[in-house]
Amino acid sequence: MVGSVSTTSTVPMTSTVPLPRRPLDPDALLTGGPCAGPDARARHWYENDLGWPTVPGRPLRLLTGVRFDVLDVPAEAGAQALRHLAPGSPVALRGERMELLVAAGGAEELPGLLDWLEWGAVRLDLRVLGSGDTLEAPRPPTAAAASEFVQGAAVWLRPPEPGREVEASLPAMPAMPAVSPVEREGSAPDLVRLLDTVAAHCHRARLRRACAGHTADRRDQPLAFS
């Protein structure tokens, strides 16, 4: 009996196990290492350096009503109100709008203050963010490059300083002044003077736009001849 010879050849097997990968350093993701994106670095700056609460998800948003409220005004009006702010009071610029940080609880005071200042019946270009609201986070001043963030995003005109309690620098409303609006100049709390200045400039800007539109309408009218 002739012995049989096996003709089966051995075929090398291709491994399906991926090559080992270097584990990501969680500290690098948080502290702005090479693996961290701009959102991670910004979130770390706000949460760890400033102690400000943020909201999960993208874009990065700050929770208002906890450490501060926000008064959103036209940039022109905001610029006129800067003199009423402490040097360390943070201010952000977002296009043609300015975001002024005020003490937490200021949003609830706004309607009553406007009425007391006799601006309640006037239509003003003011917005306020308070408890339960969120603010899209301005680009931190520590960002390596502006190209990492969306063009037109807010930037800090007066950035907050890490390690410093922001509350001490924010315009607050401790109590309603026992004076009339005529007597308020030089005696009202910072939040009142800030709001009064902003409201006045918003009203003036609205009147200028109305006058400009009225003048344009008159120019567009055909001339009448007798």
Side-chain angles (χ1 to χ4, degrees):
M1 182 175 181
V2 180
S4 60
V5 179
S6 174
T7 59
T8 303
S9 60
T10 302
V11 179
M13 298 292 293
T14 302
S15 174
T16 58
V17 179
L19 295 175
R21 299 175 60 187
R22 187 174 70 176
L24 297 177
D25 183 1
D27 292 334
L29 288 173
L30 290 175
T31 58
C35 297
D39 283 346
R41 292 195 292 271
R43 192 178 298 276
H44 178 271
W45 186 72
Y46 280 111
E47 292 184 349
N48 294 69
D49 295 351
L50 297 178
W52 292 4
T54 65
V55 180
R58 299 180 62 184
L60 176 62
R61 303 191 70 85
L62 306 175
L63 187 63
T64 58
V66 180
R67 301 289 303 275
F68 55 85
D69 288 351
V70 176
L71 183 61
D72 183 324
V73 303
E76 179 183 356
Q80 298 297 325
L82 292 180
R83 68 180 184 274
H84 297 306
L85 301 177
S89 186
V91 177
L93 186 65
R94 189 185 305 273
E96 297 181 354
R97 307 288 299 182
M98 195 172 288
E99 295 162 345
L100 312 175
L101 270 60
V102 299
E108 299 176 0
E109 300 282 359
L110 187 68
L113 283 177
L114 289 175
D115 287 340
W116 182 80
L117 292 168
E118 300 182 354
W119 290 113
V122 181
R123 185 175 180 180
L124 300 171
D125 187 11
L126 304 175
R127 293 193 291 269
V128 66
L129 301 174
S131 179
D133 296 322
T134 63
L135 171 72
E136 187 171 341
R139 178 168 57 87
T142 55
S147 59
E148 291 181 336
F149 292 82
V150 178
Q151 186 176 5
V155 295
W156 285 110
L157 183 64
R158 292 185 178 181
E161 298 182 16
R164 176 177 294 183
E165 292 294 328
V166 69
E167 289 84 355
S169 67
L170 300 182
M173 179 60 190
M176 182 64 72
V179 295
S180 68
V182 177
E183 300 171 323
R184 65 177 174 260
E185 185 63 29
S187 61
D190 288 346
L191 182 57
V192 177
R193 290 199 296 268
L194 175 69
L195 186 59
D196 195 24
T197 299
V198 167
H201 284 276
C202 285
H203 184 53
R204 291 171 189 169
R206 181 168 176 264
L207 292 178
R208 286 198 302 269
R209 290 193 299 269
C211 291
H214 180 68
T215 302
D217 290 341
R218 292 183 60 184
R219 288 198 301 264
D220 292 339
Q221 292 177 357
L223 295 178
F225 297 93
S226 58

